[in-house]
Structure formats: structure tokens, C-alpha cells
Amino acid sequence: MRTQVGIIGAGPAGLMLSHLLHRHGIDSVVLESRSREYVEHRLRAGVLEQGSVDLLRDTGLGARLDREGMRHEGIELRFDGESHRVPMTELTGRAITVYGQQEVVKDMIAARVAAGGTILFEAPADRLSGLDSAPVIHFRHQGRDEELHCDFVVGCDGYHGISRPTVPDGVLTTYERTYPFAWLGVLAAAPPAVEELIYAHHERGFALYSMRSPQISRLYLQVPADEDIADWPDERIWAELRTRLETVPNWTLNEGPVLEKSITPLRSLVVEPMQWQRLYLAGDAVHIVPPTGAKGMNLALADVALLGDAFAAWYADGSTDLLDGYSRTALRRVWRAQQFSWWMTSMLHRLNADDPYEAKLQSATLRYVTTSPAYATSLAENYVGLPEV
Ligand code: RFL
Ligand code: PHB
């Protein structure tokens, strides 16, 4: 098999890149280890920055997003028994849209299939070769060993993929931070009790109230990093959510059947540079943010928007400037999101129960960010996404 750009991974990064390349008349093949059914139902992110929404719309992927996505112009910060709204749109002129990552993925797959694009599902890549001149992706498909020959390989295969580990030792530098806590996420058949997201700081830990539709709530609880989901029957989850969220007068949680629950560890990670020879890396394959800033999917889309333009320039007239500058340019946004996500995480979670000084600092920060327009604008402009970084 031969194509111009071989893409590993059918998450938001790989699918969007394939879609963008097609619009530039560049041929690509996407290899995905899982089934179509699996990737279309994998529950993940929910918040799209304004720039991501613009990108989806401008490239013809906005129809269902415009119908079903929920535009939010503010978020609520809840702490010390008070609630404070950060009016993001008033402060920045921009907004976020709540639309599940699996819906974005469904829309992208539908568009690629309609355009005759090739996505091979249940086709795990297991090895790369020839990256210095004539790349080959070795993969398994329908019980056979196959080869995909291409001009470039783009690794969009997430943190556990094979692309990044292919790069020889000593080439890449890893910057990393782990946190002693995880998020227990719940999807519930309960109408959201609020119209905007609530980020709650509580002495028992962080809680987040989000949603997927007017009928479905998405809720998260900070839990210890090594927590076992088996220890969290639904009633315990609701009790803990009530404790952490029902802290302001006249506010109650809407409860309903739990459709899904899981625990995700939090980590911050950047691997530099995002390219080696003819291998380019994008999305979670090279950077992870804790979900508190809602940046992961948005960064994945921003990376491949750069790569789409860079490959377009290369195939148009052989110019390498954009390809050569890809890692440097992408890392500016990556590090902005790293700092913001770390800051949101540190401000909102229960960090160290034995350190009352830290808890006092968190309260002071929360109070400052909800009373100073300058500080609130800093939160808001990062949350809705900075056009330039
Ligand atoms: P993905 O989505 O992980 O896709 C990688 C794909 O590669 C496939 N793969 C392989 N395919 C072929 N051969 C191999 N050897 C392969 N190895 C792996 C995988 O099966 C998969 O399909 O990475 P991508 O495209 O970089 O997208 C990144 C985002 O998925 C991720 O950053 C976000 O989900 C993070 N995130 C959030 N991001 C936001 O922007 N806003 C949010 O509100 C938000 N909330 C979240 C989140 C992530 C969460 N979890 C579960 C980690 C909330 C949570 C709970
Ligand atoms: C979500 O709806 O899944 C979500 C929202 C905001 C976040 C993280 C996840 O910061």
C-alpha cells in the first residue's frame, strides 16, 4: 500500500489531519488499532475552544456541532460556600462549546468516509522503518502483516502509541509532572442542574459539573491516584458529589442512572521536539495535560492545523519552512496550555491535607481570580483559547 502521508491513530488529531490534507488534495491513510464502534463511543473530552469550533466550521465539519453543541459564555467557580461566575465572553469576546469528543470523532469519520478517504480500523501499527528517507508503517490487518509506504508518517497514536517510542534514546527530552490524584468521571442520565460548568474547590477535593446534552450530565470527582472504581458504588458517588457541590444555598444536584464511570489519572507531560526525520508527532502522543483546563483535544486539533498547512506548502512547491518550524511553533501553544492546566489544577484540587498554608493560598487565589477583572481575564482568555501564543 502506498500513500503520501501515513497517519497512525483515528482520534481527533489523526482524523482531523486526514480531513485537512484531503482539502489540500493530499492523499493519506489512517491506521487505527481499535474498531470504528469503539472510537466513536470512547468517552473523553467535552469542551471545544472557540478556535477549535472555528476550525471545524471552516472546514465543513460544523453542521451537527452548530445544531447540538452548547455555547457557554461563562463558567462558575464554587468555593468557601460561595459561587462566582467568570463571564468569559464579556471578558474576551469569545466562548466555548460543549460538544462531546466522540461526537467530533463521529463527524470526522463520516466526512472522511463520504469523501472516499481510507481509514483502516482494527489495524494496529507495530513498527516504523525507513524514516530517514522512505518511511514504511508496518501494521496488522485482517490477520495479515501489511506495509504502508509513504512520504511522511504522522504519529497521532496517543500516549500509549508506538510512534514516540520509535525515536532513538537521546533524541527526545521529556518534561513531566504527576499528581497524587485522579478523576473519577461519571456519565449520568440526569438533566444538568445548571447551564454552565461548575468547577468546585472543596476541602474533601475537587468536583466538576459538566454536561453532554439537556438530558445528560457529566460529573467528575477528585479521588486518590490509586483509587479502585469498585470502591465507588453509585450511591457513594452521588453522596460525595452532593457534599462537594451542594455548598451554596438553594442549589441541588439532579441525580439519575449512572451510564458509565471510570477513573483517569492526572498527568502533565511534554516531549520535545515533536519531530524526528520524517516522523511528526501530534496530540496526546507528545503532550498530556490534566483535564482541569479542558485543553487536550484542543491542543491535538491545533497541532494538526499546523501540520496541514506545512504539508500543503511542501507538496505545493517543496518548501520546508513550515515543516521545519512545526515543533517550535506547536510547542508555544503546548507550553501555554501546560502552564494554564497546571495552574487550574493546583488552584482547584485538594493538594496536601497536611499543609494548611497551601489551602489558604488556594482560597486567596480563588478569591482574587473572582474579584479582579485582570486576573479573571487571564483565566478566561486561556480557557476560551488564545488565538496567538
Ligand atoms: P487519542 O484520542 O488518544 O487518539 C489516539 C488514537 O490512536 C490509536 N492508537 C493506535 N492506532 C494504530 N496503531 C497503534 N499502534 C495505536 N496506538 C494507539 C488509539 O486507539 C486512538 O484511537 O489522541 P489524540 O487524537 O491526540 O486526541 C487527544 C484527546 O483525545 C485528549 O487530549 C482529550 O480527550 C483530553 N481531554 C480533554 N480535552 C479537551 O480538549 N477538553 C476536555 O474537556 C477534555 N476532557 C480529556 C477530558 C481526557 C480525559 N481522559 C479520559 C483522558 C476528560 C477526560 C476524562
Ligand atoms: C467534560 O465535559 O468532560 C469536561 C469539561 C471540562 C473539563 C474537563 C472535562 O475541564
Side-chain angles (χ1 to χ4, degrees), residues 98-137:
V98 176
Y99 187 66
Q101 177 170 325
Q102 71 275 35
E103 306 308 323
V104 177
V105 162
K106 278 180 206 158
D107 295 346
M108 289 174 174
I109 292 175
R112 290 307 296 128
V113 170
T118 308
I119 307 169
L120 297 183
F121 291 98
E122 299 176 71
D126 47 42
R127 188 166 64 84
L128 303 176
S129 63
L131 288 171
D132 56 343
S133 56
V136 183
I137 307 176

Side-chain angles (χ1 to χ4, degrees), residues 5 15 24 46 62 79 106 118 137 144 162 171 179 205 226-227 243 271 294 297-298 302 344 354 364 383-384:
V5 179
L15 291 166
H24 287 296
F79 60 98
K106 278 180 206 158
T118 308
I137 307 176
R144 285 198 303 273
I162 59 131
V171 174
Y179 302 87
D226 51 3
E227 201 74 344
T243 304
V271 176
M297 168 168 53
N298 295 294
M344 284 284 277
D354 304 327
Y383 195 81
V384 299

Side-chain angles (χ1 to χ4, degrees), residues 130-195:
L131 288 171
D132 56 343
S133 56
V136 183
I137 307 176
H138 304 262
F139 67 101
R140 293 281 302 169
H141 189 46
Q142 296 176 338
R144 285 198 303 273
D145 289 322
E146 304 277 2
E147 293 183 354
L148 175 62
H149 294 252
C150 39
D151 300 328
F152 299 97
V153 176
V154 184
C156 300
D157 46 353
Y159 181 66
H160 300 288
I162 59 131
S163 304
R164 191 191 62 253
T166 297
V167 179
D169 287 352
V171 174
L172 302 178
T173 306
T174 301
Y175 301 88
E176 195 172 13
R177 168 150 306 185
T178 54
Y179 302 87
F181 40 81
W183 278 18
L184 189 167
V186 178
L187 190 72
V194 279
E195 279 173 9

Side-chain angles (χ1 to χ4, degrees), residues 201-265:
H201 172 69
H202 190 275
E203 59 190 16
R204 291 178 60 84
F206 170 73
L208 171 61
Y209 202 140
S210 181
M211 61 205 70
R212 283 296 176 273
S213 75
Q215 294 79 37
I216 304 284
S217 299
R218 178 80 171 131
L219 303 125
Y220 297 97
L221 283 172
Q222 174 187 354
V223 296
D226 51 3
E227 201 74 344
D228 184 350
I229 193 75
D231 294 332
W232 285 87
D234 298 354
E235 193 34 56
R236 180 175 177 206
I237 295 175
W238 288 114
E240 195 62 35
L241 284 166
R242 283 195 298 270
T243 304
R244 298 188 197 179
L245 285 161
E246 290 182 350
T247 56
V248 295
N250 306 318
W251 196 90
T252 47
L253 201 60
N254 287 344
E255 299 181 20
V258 170
L259 306 174
E260 220 175 297
K261 57 183 167 185
S262 63
I263 292 182
T264 310

